[in-house]
Amino acid sequence: MSSKLDAKIPEGQLETKWSQYKSSVPLVNPANKRSLHIIVVGSGLAGSAAAASLAEMGYKVKVFCFQDSPRRAHSIAAQGGINAAKNYQNDGDSVYRLFYDTIKGGDYRAREGNVYRLAEVSTSIIDQCVAQGVPFAREYGGLLSNRSFGGTQVQRTFYAAGQTGQQLLLGAYSALERQIGLGNVEMYSRHEMLDVVQIDGTTRGIIARDLVSGKLERHFGHAVLLCTGGYGNVFFLSTNAMGSNVTAAWKAHKKGAFFGNPCFTQIHPTCIPVSGDHQSKLTLMSESLRNDGRIWVPKAQNDTRKATDIPEEERDYYLERRYPAFGNLVPRDVASRAAKERCDAGYGVGTSKMAVYLDYASAIERYGKQQATKIGEHNADKKRITELGKEVVKEKYGNLFDMYAKITGENPYEVPMRIYPAVHYTMGGLWVDYNLMTTVPGLYALGEANFSDHGANRLGASALMQGLADGYFVIPYTIGAYLSTQIREKAIPTDHAAFVEAEQKVQATLDQLMNIKGTKPVDYFHKRLGKIMWDKCGMARSESGLKQAIADIRALREEFWKDVRIPGAQNELNPELEKAGRVADFIELGELMCVDALNRNESCGGHFREEFQTEEGEALRDDDNFKYVSAWEFKSTGNFELHKESLIYDRIKVSQRSYK
Amino acid sequence: MEGSSLNLTLKIWRQKNAQDSGKFATYNVSDISTDMSFLEMIDVLNEQLITKGEEPVAFDHDCREGICGMCSMYINGRAHGPWNGTTTCQLHMRAFKNGETITIEPWRAGAFPVIKDLVVNRSAFDRIIAAGGFVSVNTGNAQDANALPIPKDDADASFAAAACIGCGACVASCKNSSAMLFVSAKVSQLALLPQGQPERIDRVLNMVKQMDEEGFGNCTNTGSCEAECPKEISLDNIARLNREYLFATLKK
Amino acid sequence: MTKFLTSSLGKKTVMAMTGLFLCIFLLEHLYTNVQLFFGDGGKSFDEASHGMVHSIIIRIIEVVLFFSIIVHVYQAVVLTKNNSDARPVKYAVNGVSKTSSWFSRNMLLTGSIILFFIVVHLYNFFLPYRITGEVVEPEAQGEHLAERVAAALTNPYYAALYLISVLFLAFHLNHGFQSAFQTLGANTKKYVPILKMAGTAFAILMGIGFASFPILFFIFGEEFLNWNL
């Protein structure tokens, strides 16, 4: 293990690590909390939850988000649900099982200590959210309802229709707004963090740009929490929001924070396929649809018949065929690759031939029969059964079906939906220790912005769990370990030389961007970057492809800094300038992702190297050589140094992942 | 489904900043695929403008899947355009005819001042939530989630109200610029749940007080808000807010 | 309480309550007017009117009634002004007609026409009968109120004004009645359709009811008072 990396995982039994650590971590007394300033960047689940919890404890908190309101953070778009080891269904779930599923789902590339803690606090999250008034789905008896998700064999997913992320975020947002109303949090919306400020190697604040006036601002903090989400938009087309970006994390990386496992990206199997060159983003159809939908392609190549004209025996339910134990509920990486394999082999459907069917016909029939029995219509004919079945499906998935119909103009109750994998989540992120602190003192990363808990692949309904765990139940304890050493540090005035210098650098970069006055809009470069990344660092990667990608990205970077055109001025609301800064960072990150993917000579989870696969086309891991976290140190643009954090499995026997 | 393509005339409100008085500008776009979303059509226009050396149209947008509530736009006299139950980002160009002129304006309300072009300031909504749209439960104070059963109907009704995305279409479409649907959705969500009971009275009083201070108009029950709400939040919630407020006044 | 009355919801509650009170008055007024159709030459109508003049209860209600009208009108003006101020810059294209009813959007217009009619109506009937003393003891002077009504309604100008006003009254009620229940929080999912229907039914009943007087008197003349139906 690199000497620069200390994961600080507490000693002791896995089951008691966290509780013992909580009892021994240093505390900050209430009077001192009042004079400690914390900056939270990002207002999603991790950011809002952390900001509200820390403000409740008495810290002085400032929150920054680039949207017009903290309620808009992209956590809001999570659909399916949130996992918790409540075992309300009496189906044998436990903290250990959630821990085990998460490690296995992550293809044995996550830390045992962190993941066990995550599973352990998962139950408190549900309690907290219900107490906030989050309207989870309930059974007729008034108790909470659960459903199943990919990669698990128990029902542990709590949900609120197809809007779970929205409801959880609004819960955290309301807690945050309460603290804003009480004066404990100062909110800075329409602000973007453009650099961290360090004094003697310690984090002391940030430089932020007021996106409305264009003015740069300096803000002091004893600690800075980056809760800025993932970097899926490096691919241009992803299910991320248009504004989701890596800038805050990347600036931190350039100031010394190591970047962990950047190549681990999750491709979600059930997205609406690309319809043309105009496409600006991709829309996810919740994984919960795989509960009842069956995925298939025609058995014949280049079959041009309509889906409904293809008889049952000429359909290939390839997931059920290849993975009988988990069927359509295999983890996301497996399902995505299987779809790509079929389409590449010429079995794809739709005009682009880059799609597979997600079919609800048999679910409609099954539910219809159940419903007919339930309401006593024992002689219901086929038409009536279909009608009843559609009603049930509408109640369960209506909003998703409506969304599909709006986007594609097709009626998914009548014809199978077409789906294709799309970039959805990034398991990689800033490297953090057990306390969620990066390699820079006082600088933390929470939620999707850090690399910590999902290994090489995230299970469905675990992102919400991790974001809220970090924000509500981890950082409030672990931050004490650092802040207890800061109680003698007075707030540093922002006219300090370090702030002035940091602001000048940010200003210089903005000036440089504005002065290029080239010929191409920012999106032109972003789309090209996205194409390079998707083709060469997407669902399948190869040595030659990655080397080519690195060369292409470097050339693109040069071109970007010579030829980008940013209209308007700096001192006003200027979305093109915002985008330009973000794309500049994405270009640099894209290179690091390829470097990381090239280094990892194995296939695991979301990282699939064509050279490393079994004869059946499954991912082939190399635990002897790659059972480590890659933590990259920024040396200079395009120059990164690798540090390795070995992964030690005390409790889990590392084995080849099988969902057959 | 195979789409066709459209040529359109766009009349868009351009306003440099909050101080500028603003005016309409007319643009033409061609070969717009009917498979495009409305915002992708604006992307095409903006790319065109940037290439010509003009300033692109500023507009709010983020998730582009109908849930963040950031996109707005008053399109041909309708908040979020002609489709019911749809945000602008999910509105697709299938909704328009070839050769059509589309007028695009920002949300208009004194409480939502224009920042630039089609971008408005909706922070009044945040202040209303900060005034009472929460349950005061600090992290770690919660009991077991299943300790308190909630009738499914109540939970479902609460969820239906909680589906509000805070986009402001209700204010934009109301002839009085009233924020009653937004406020009533949050009041209803919490009034329907046992967790919301302890603060029920103060919540409604404080939220209505803040709503009035922000300068929204008064509800005259025209129902435009419900018709334009992308999440189809029901007017029932407004009746409930009225009831809660009357009751709270009598009690306090 | 002042906080309540100055809040947006308080002002609207006042509108709703005064509005509903005025609806009750309309019912009572219609009942009195229907007595013109008794075919007794207006005797019942005269008696009822006479009785009302001498009833202390009616006199008190009358004060409440005038107070209600004034408050209703005053609040309407204040609220409309507030609502207009809440949107300093108007839309160039506004499609509210697609999302709300004409009745709901034009309460000020329909209300103003009704107010104008009320003033004329009071000038014609209430003022001479009750205030100026022009008609002190109607029976003694041999003048029946019923005849005065009949005379007015056979005047084409007055009948036309009366008819138009009644039409706008119906429009006003069509939205106002159910809207009042919504404002008072009595609308729930179960009752919305019922109250909406009741509102429209009430509007139509009042419309047809009051319109019947000018129509019948205009067609059949003052003699109609003596028709035994």
Side-chain angles (χ1 to χ4, degrees):
Chain A
M1 190 180 299
S2 163
S3 59
K4 289 194 180 175
L5 295 175
D6 177 6
K8 297 191 180 132
I9 297 166
E11 294 299 317
Q13 280 284 315
L14 183 64
E15 285 81 357
T16 52
K17 270 185 209 284
W18 176 235
S19 51
Q20 280 182 357
Y21 183 69
K22 274 200 294 186
S23 317
S24 60
V25 73
L27 300 173
V28 178
N29 90 30
N32 285 332
K33 282 190 184 118
R34 283 195 288 275
S35 50
L36 287 171
H37 298 254
I38 299 175
I39 286 173
V40 178
V41 184
S43 66
L45 288 178
S48 287
S53 304
L54 294 168
E56 286 161 8
M57 292 163 76
Y59 293 110
K60 287 274 161 232
V61 181
K62 284 182 177 179
V63 179
F64 294 80
C65 70
F66 71 80
Q67 297 93 339
D68 74 331
S69 159
R71 68 179 292 151
R72 316 249 188 248
H74 196 54
S75 307
I76 205 151
Q79 298 170 354
I82 177 167
N83 288 329
K86 280 286 197 184
N87 192 28
Y88 282 157
Q89 303 306 319
N90 197 31
D91 56 2
D93 198 10
S94 65
V95 169
Y96 184 84
R97 270 191 208 275
L98 174 53
F99 154 73
Y100 178 83
D101 286 346
T102 307
I103 293 272
K104 180 187 170 194
D107 221 356
Y108 306 96
R109 290 293 175 266
R111 285 184 197 141
E112 277 193 342
N114 282 53
V115 176
Y116 196 89
R117 174 177 69 187
L118 174 66
E120 204 176 330
V121 302
S122 68
T123 56
S124 307
I125 295 170
I126 303 301
D127 299 342
Q128 182 65 28
C129 294
V130 166
Q132 286 171 345
V134 170
F136 281 116
R138 286 176 185 271
E139 305 290 351
Y140 281 100
L143 302 178
L144 292 161
S145 176
N146 290 114
R147 60 184 170 201
S148 53
F149 249 66
T152 68
Q153 291 177 312
V154 293
Q155 293 196 318
R156 64 160 74 99
T157 305
F158 295 80
Y159 63 99
Q163 286 142 264
T164 317
Q166 181 201 22
Q167 294 308 317
L168 296 176
L169 181 63
L170 293 183
Y173 158 77
S174 66
L176 172 63
E177 284 297 334
R178 175 173 159 242
Q179 294 305 315
I180 294 170
L182 293 169
N184 300 329
V185 174
E186 278 180 74
M187 184 70 220
Y188 295 85
S189 54
R190 292 197 197 268
H191 275 67
E192 181 164 32
M193 186 201 110
L194 290 180
D195 211 353
V196 281
V197 178
Q198 290 170 344
I199 300 176
D200 302 329
T202 299
T203 308
R204 290 298 179 211
I206 63 166
I207 303 297
R209 180 167 176 264
D210 178 336
L211 299 180
V212 175
S213 69
K215 285 203 180 70
L216 294 180
E217 297 173 358
R218 307 168 195 169
H219 295 274
F220 167 80
H222 288 94
V224 173
L225 277 50
L226 301 182
C227 312
T228 48
Y231 48 86
N233 270 347
V234 69
F235 291 89
F236 184 71
L237 284 183
S238 81
T239 65
N240 285 6
M242 301 303 286
S244 298
N245 67 81
V246 76
T247 289
W250 195 252
K251 302 297 187 201
H253 176 56
K254 290 172 98 168
K255 282 278 175 86
F258 292 3
F259 213 103
N261 294 335
C263 79
F264 287 169
T265 42
Q266 179 163 76
I267 316 287
H268 196 291
T270 55
C271 299
I272 299 176
V274 177
S275 73
D277 294 335
H278 56 264
Q279 195 102 14
S280 62
K281 80 151 270 164
L282 295 169
T283 303
L284 174 76
M285 300 291 286
S286 167
E287 178 167 331
S288 61
L289 289 171
R290 284 200 279 147
N291 265 321
D292 286 315
R294 297 179 72 194
I295 294 173
W296 63 276
V297 290
K299 276 187 181 162
Q301 282 175 327
N302 300 316
D303 194 331
T304 50
R305 286 176 291 177
K306 281 198 294 189
T308 42
D309 292 342
I310 300 176
E312 194 61 29
E313 60 276 10
E314 290 176 42
R315 299 175 175 191
D316 177 16
Y317 294 92
Y318 58 90
L319 285 177
E320 297 170 29
R321 170 170 60 78
R322 285 177 67 177
Y323 308 100
F326 280 69
N328 292 300
L329 281 177
V330 291
R332 291 174 173 177
D333 55 339
V334 178
S336 294
R337 263 199 306 279
K340 177 178 158 56
E341 187 274 329
R342 285 289 86 185
C343 293
D344 288 349
Y347 297 92
V349 300
T351 44
S352 64
K353 297 286 168 200
M354 291 305 273
V356 299
Y357 288 127
L358 173 64
D359 198 336
Y360 261 70
S362 58
I364 287 173
E365 194 184 325
R366 177 163 48 89
Y367 282 124
K369 280 182 183 156
Q370 270 177 20
Q371 188 67 9
T373 313
K374 196 170 149 193
I375 60 175
E377 292 186 22
H378 297 289
N379 299 320
D381 59 7
K382 200 164 162 33
K383 194 170 150 246
R384 176 68 181 150
I385 285 173
T386 308
E387 190 184 320
L388 290 169
K390 280 180 188 165
E391 279 170 24
V392 177
V393 168
K394 191 178 174 64
E395 206 207 331
K396 283 180 108 107
Y397 306 105
N399 59 335
L400 297 171
F401 277 46
D402 290 349
M403 187 167 77
Y404 183 86
K406 268 177 208 159
I407 292 173
T408 63
E410 290 175 356
N411 180 356
Y413 293 98
E414 302 297 338
V415 296
M417 288 179 264
R418 286 173 295 112
I419 55 166
Y420 196 69
V423 176
H424 178 55
Y425 186 87
T426 50
M427 281 72 69
L430 292 175
W431 184 92
V432 290
D433 62 17
Y434 194 70
N435 291 329
L436 304 182
M437 187 150 88
T438 65
T439 45
V440 179
L443 184 63
Y444 291 79
L446 280 66
E448 192 181 347
N450 72 30
F451 87 104
S452 69
D453 298 344
H454 305 295
N457 174 54
R458 179 176 65 75
L459 290 181
S462 283
L464 302 183
M465 172 172 70
Q466 188 223 337
L468 288 179
D470 287 358
Y472 282 136
F473 296 107
V474 177
I475 197 72
Y477 293 95
T478 60
I479 203 166
Y482 175 73
L483 287 181
S484 59
T485 67
Q486 299 293 310
I487 51 177
R488 285 187 189 80
E489 301 291 332
K490 292 246 155 42
I492 297 168
T494 53
D495 54 8
H496 186 284
F499 278 96
V500 175
E501 192 195 337
E503 186 187 307
Q504 280 168 352
K505 271 196 176 154
V506 171
Q507 187 58 57
T509 308
L510 292 173
D511 290 342
Q512 194 186 348
L513 280 169
M514 293 301 297
N515 289 332
I516 297 170
K517 298 189 168 40
T519 60
K520 307 262 179 8
V522 178
D523 278 354
Y524 167 81
F525 296 97
H526 197 178
K527 282 180 187 174
R528 273 181 56 195
L529 173 68
K531 186 160 167 41
I532 297 171
M533 294 302 290
W534 180 244
D535 288 347
K536 305 209 167 70
C537 195
M539 263 194 287
R541 299 145 179 199
S542 69
E543 187 183 335
S544 61
L546 288 165
K547 283 184 173 158
Q548 183 62 48
I550 292 171
D552 291 351
I553 292 171
R554 288 187 171 173
L556 183 69
R557 189 176 66 219
E558 296 252 321
E559 201 184 323
F560 174 86
W561 285 98
K562 274 193 205 124
D563 199 25
V564 72
R565 168 182 284 186
I566 303 164
Q570 259 190 71
N571 59 350
E572 61 177 6
L573 181 67
N574 189 339
E576 288 298 313
L577 176 59
E578 296 164 27
K579 279 202 289 195
R582 293 168 191 166
V583 169
D585 292 333
F586 275 134
I587 293 175
E588 293 184 16
L589 166 79
E591 183 176 345
L592 176 61
M593 288 170 71
C594 294
V595 168
D596 186 42
L598 190 59
N599 168 70
R600 197 169 273 280
N601 285 322
E602 63 161 353
S603 293
C604 65
H607 169 66
F608 189 79
R609 282 279 299 272
E610 286 166 351
E611 305 94 320
F612 306 100
Q613 52 182 311
T614 65
E615 279 176 13
E616 295 156 308
E618 303 293 340
L620 188 62
R621 244 180 25 232
D622 179 356
D623 291 328
D624 295 337
N625 295 307
F626 291 97
K627 205 172 65 187
Y628 63 75
V629 174
S630 312
W632 296 90
E633 183 181 0
F634 182 88
K635 291 290 184 186
S636 62
T637 303
N639 182 11
F640 308 93
E641 185 186 333
L642 174 65
H643 301 268
K644 297 175 182 176
E645 179 201 338
S646 302
L647 291 164
I648 300 149
Y649 290 95
D650 292 328
R651 290 300 295 275
I652 283 184
K653 194 173 149 288
V654 177
S655 62
Q656 194 63 34
R657 216 164 44 134
S658 171
Y659 292 93
K660 288 182 187 279
Chain B
M1 210 168 76
E2 283 301 287
S4 51
S5 76
L6 311 171
N7 297 328
L8 301 163
T9 304
L10 306 172
K11 248 183 91 187
I12 301 179
W13 183 260
R14 301 303 306 262
Q15 182 173 340
K16 194 146 181 53
N17 50 42
Q19 289 74 43
D20 184 25
S21 57
K23 60 178 191 301
F24 279 102
T26 305
Y27 305 99
N28 291 307
V29 284
S30 49
D31 287 330
I32 297 297
S33 157
T34 49
D35 283 336
M36 278 187 199
S37 73
F38 195 82
L39 296 184
E40 284 165 352
M41 184 272 293
I42 303 283
D43 289 342
V44 170
L45 168 70
N46 276 346
E47 198 162 329
Q48 204 173 295
L49 291 175
I50 295 168
T51 314
K52 274 201 289 186
E54 292 176 38
E55 259 209 70
V57 179
F59 62 101
D60 266 331
H61 64 116
D62 200 23
C63 79
R64 294 208 180 183
E65 49 187 280
I67 196 74
C68 75
M70 190 122 172
C71 62
S72 47
M73 297 198 191
Y74 214 67
I75 301 164
N76 281 347
R78 302 279 306 272
H80 292 299
W83 284 356
N84 289 339
T86 307
T87 54
T88 297
C89 65
Q90 296 234 293
L91 173 66
H92 276 64
M93 297 311 293
R94 284 188 290 280
F96 299 92
K97 287 191 290 289
N98 192 27
E100 199 171 332
T101 297
I102 305 175
T103 306
I104 310 169
E105 297 171 76
W107 282 175
R108 295 281 188 208
F112 287 170
V114 173
I115 293 173
K116 183 176 186 177
D117 296 343
L118 304 172
V119 177
V120 300
N121 182 349
R122 288 169 286 193
S123 55
F125 273 8
D126 290 329
R127 290 187 292 272
I128 293 174
I129 298 295
F134 47 75
V135 173
S136 297
V137 52
N138 283 1
T139 305
N141 281 345
Q143 58 178 347
D144 185 82
N146 257 352
L148 203 56
I150 301 172
K152 188 176 181 345
D153 288 346
D154 289 350
D156 288 350
S158 173
F159 171 77
C164 167
I165 57 174
C167 65
C170 46
V171 174
S173 59
C174 174
K175 83 177 193 41
N176 312 321
S177 306
S178 163
M180 284 286 277
L181 195 65
F182 170 78
V183 176
S184 72
K186 186 50 79 180
V187 165
S188 289
Q189 178 203 341
L190 298 176
L192 283 159
L193 296 174
Q195 288 81 5
Q197 300 312 306
E199 294 167 287
R200 193 168 169 179
I201 288 173
D202 284 337
R203 177 179 306 118
V204 67
L205 293 176
N206 292 337
M207 287 180 78
V208 168
K209 181 166 169 275
Q210 187 66 37
M211 174 182 84
D212 288 351
E213 282 171 15
E214 296 290 349
F216 292 102
N218 307 280
C219 174
T220 54
N221 306 324
T222 67
S224 288
C225 54
E226 183 188 45
E228 294 289 42
C229 174
K231 297 294 148 184
E232 300 178 316
I233 306 285
S234 164
L235 282 182
D236 286 359
N237 294 306
I238 294 186
R240 186 179 293 104
L241 169 60
N242 289 327
R243 204 153 62 229
E244 293 285 320
Y245 190 75
L246 265 178
F247 177 74
T249 306
L250 293 174
K251 249 196 135 167
K252 194 153 181 176
Chain C
M1 202 64 197
T2 34
K3 251 205 234 155
F4 173 75
L5 288 175
T6 52
S7 75
S8 60
L9 269 64
K11 287 183 213 160
K12 292 202 24 68
T13 306
V14 169
M15 282 299 281
M17 289 178 44
T18 50
L20 285 179
F21 179 76
L22 294 172
C23 285
I24 296 171
F25 164 74
L26 280 178
L27 264 179
E28 191 277 335
H29 195 319
L30 183 65
Y31 171 72
T32 313
N33 280 16
V34 163
Q35 298 184 28
L36 288 167
F37 295 167
F38 283 6
D40 55 5
K43 194 156 170 286
S44 308
F45 180 80
D46 283 346
E47 277 171 13
S49 313
H50 188 73
M52 277 203 253
V53 174
H54 296 283
S55 161
I56 182 75
I57 297 167
I58 295 293
R59 299 300 294 267
I60 293 167
I61 294 177
E62 205 171 75
V63 174
V64 180
L65 184 67
F66 277 105
F67 180 74
S68 291
I69 293 174
I70 291 163
V71 170
H72 195 81
V73 170
Y74 171 76
Q75 288 288 38
V77 172
V78 170
L79 285 168
T80 309
K81 171 84 172 66
N82 287 346
N83 291 344
S84 175
D85 292 349
R87 176 163 296 145
V89 183
K90 312 292 177 207
Y91 289 111
V93 180
N94 203 341
V96 281
S97 58
K98 295 193 181 88
T99 56
S100 59
S101 70
W102 183 91
F103 310 107
S104 70
R105 292 193 311 275
N106 290 284
M107 291 298 275
L108 189 76
L109 170 73
T110 52
S112 303
I113 290 168
I114 296 165
L115 181 66
F116 173 72
F117 176 73
I118 290 174
V119 172
V120 173
H121 197 63
L122 289 177
Y123 177 77
N124 277 343
F125 297 103
F126 187 80
L127 216 60
Y129 203 67
R130 289 285 318 284
I131 310 290
T132 60
E134 190 187 321
V135 187
V136 185
E137 281 294 330
E139 292 84 356
Q141 295 181 14
E143 176 173 333
H144 300 284
L145 185 64
E147 283 169 5
R148 200 183 169 92
V149 172
L153 291 181
T154 47
N155 173 334
Y157 297 108
Y158 192 83
L161 174 69
Y162 194 109
L163 261 181
I164 290 167
S165 308
V166 164
L167 184 69
F168 280 87
L169 173 70
F171 290 169
H172 199 75
L173 290 173
N174 186 37
H175 176 72
F177 186 82
Q178 55 99 4
S179 176
F181 286 95
Q182 169 84 359
T183 300
L184 295 174
N187 255 7
T188 63
K189 206 155 224 121
K190 199 167 153 189
Y191 299 117
V192 169
I194 302 173
L195 283 167
K196 277 205 166 149
M197 229 147 59
T200 306
F202 185 72
I204 293 171
L205 176 75
M206 290 299 130
I208 292 176
F210 282 107
S212 64
F213 307 109
I215 291 171
L216 294 174
F217 278 101
F218 187 71
I219 294 173
F220 302 110
E222 290 181 39
E223 276 309 296
F224 188 67
L225 275 178
N226 298 315
W227 279 30
N228 208 336
L229 295 169

